[in-house]
Amino acid sequence: LGLFAGNVDEGVQLIFANMGENEALYSVKALKELRAAGIKAEIYPDAVKLGRQMDYANKKSIPYVAIAGSSEVEKGVFTLKNMNEGTQSEVRLEELLEILKK
């Protein structure tokens, strides 16, 4: 019937790792901006071991994980892990938006 948008079955593009309360607050601010830009993103609900969060991203086929530990928060960046390529780099929010809009 064409009642749903064509991208309704597209999955989450990025998940923010939950590294603790302060780091989660930092990530939620970025999450709001990504969603406002039309990017499907979420944050892991609990501060558990990073390996468990990465496993979740793999199972859900989420291509990117943004990690913000205390050092990233201090520098105003995220460590962006490309789950398909296994690479990672530090990026600012503006760079993150550019990468995900591609």
Side-chain angles (χ1 to χ4, degrees):
L1 297 173
L3 298 176
F4 294 100
N7 64 352
V8 85
D9 61 346
E10 289 180 7
V12 173
Q13 294 171 268
L14 175 130
I15 187 166
F16 287 94
N18 189 334
M19 305 300 287
E21 188 176 335
N22 291 333
E23 293 84 356
L25 290 173
Y26 174 76
S27 295
V28 166
K29 290 177 185 177
L31 176 64
K32 288 180 183 178
E33 289 198 40
L34 292 178
R35 287 181 174 171
I39 296 167
K40 294 182 180 181
E42 63 183 51
I43 186 167
Y44 197 84
D46 301 311
V48 296
K49 291 184 179 184
L50 186 58
R52 186 169 166 192
Q53 297 182 56
M54 294 292 192
D55 288 343
Y56 174 84
N58 277 328
K59 288 177 187 172
K60 295 288 186 175
S61 298
I62 300 172
Y64 293 99
V65 176
I67 304 163
S70 57
S71 63
E72 284 91 355
V73 172
E74 191 175 300
K75 292 190 271 184
V77 299
F78 294 92
T79 296
L80 181 65
K81 178 147 178 97
N82 182 319
M83 299 299 284
N84 297 325
E85 297 175 4
T87 58
Q88 66 183 42
S89 60
E90 281 190 356
V91 297
R92 298 201 167 279
L93 180 57
E94 300 79 22
E95 296 170 289
L96 187 57
L97 281 163
E98 287 178 31
I99 291 167
L100 295 172
K101 283 186 177 184
K102 291 180 183 178

